[in-house]
Amino acid sequence: MVRLCEERDLPDGVQRGLVGPILNRFEKRGFKLVAMKMTTPSEELLREHYADLQSKPFFPGLLKYMTSGPVVATVWEGKDVVKQGRAILGATNPLQSAPGTIRGDYAIDVGRNVCHGSDSVETAKKEIGLWFKKEEVQSYKLANYAWIYE
């Protein structure tokens, strides 16, 4: 039932003051925040994280953008959180994102789409391992757990 999802408010989300509203959407949905940190990612970390994109023509620009300032990395836990997290974020292209999603409400351009979210449980595990040490991911039970899950 419980899966972990890695989500990040990208430099544009941080610069625009959207960290709180983004976190709030996950919390209001009932997901549990188990790790969070603000960091400016290194080029080495980003090359590993985006290894599948290194041959793309936009990759140098992505590196420059992602190292331009801090991001807020989070790990969320809950039932089907990867799939549901993707629904909360909206489509990668904000112009295809429905109103009410993070990208649908706060973004216009693909290259400034405010946040990143894991696309599968396997990817989430890999990404969490890149961004967090094992001891940085907390284990606890929410006081309102019984009001969220049967």
Side-chain angles (χ1 to χ4, degrees):
M1 174 179 109
V2 175
R3 297 286 187 255
L4 296 175
C5 175
E6 191 271 333
E7 188 269 325
R8 270 176 288 114
D9 298 339
L10 301 178
D12 53 315
V14 172
Q15 290 292 334
R16 292 177 56 199
L18 297 174
V19 174
I22 291 169
L23 296 174
N24 187 257
R25 290 187 188 213
F26 281 82
E27 287 182 316
K28 284 170 71 173
R29 183 64 183 258
F31 295 123
K32 178 173 62 170
L33 180 62
V34 295
M36 180 170 74
K37 68 177 161 186
M38 180 178 263
T39 183
T40 300
S42 68
E43 187 173 315
E44 180 184 348
L45 170 68
L46 294 170
R47 286 186 179 281
E48 193 167 351
H49 182 95
Y50 293 114
D52 59 322
L53 301 177
Q54 289 193 36
S55 64
K56 303 287 185 183
F58 61 82
F59 188 72
L62 176 63
L63 283 180
K64 183 176 180 183
Y65 161 66
M66 288 296 296
T67 57
S68 69
V71 301
V72 174
T74 59
V75 180
W76 296 91
E77 187 176 273
K79 185 176 183 180
D80 209 15
V81 68
V82 172
K83 182 178 178 185
Q84 295 305 313
R86 299 289 293 174
I88 292 168
L89 295 177
T92 301
N93 182 342
L95 298 178
Q96 297 170 352
S97 292
T101 65
I102 292 168
R103 292 172 178 151
D105 290 350
Y106 299 126
I108 295 173
D109 231 352
V110 173
R112 300 294 182 266
N113 67 6
V114 182
C115 48
H116 164 84
S118 303
D119 61 4
S120 70
V121 173
E122 296 75 30
T123 301
K125 289 177 183 176
K126 176 187 170 229
E127 291 175 352
I128 291 165
L130 288 173
W131 291 84
F132 292 91
K133 298 174 187 165
K134 187 174 181 170
E135 63 271 14
E136 292 178 312
V137 180
Q138 304 299 308
S139 179
Y140 65 100
K141 188 172 182 178
L142 284 175
N144 62 357
Y145 184 89
W147 297 106
I148 298 170
Y149 296 104
E150 293 184 283

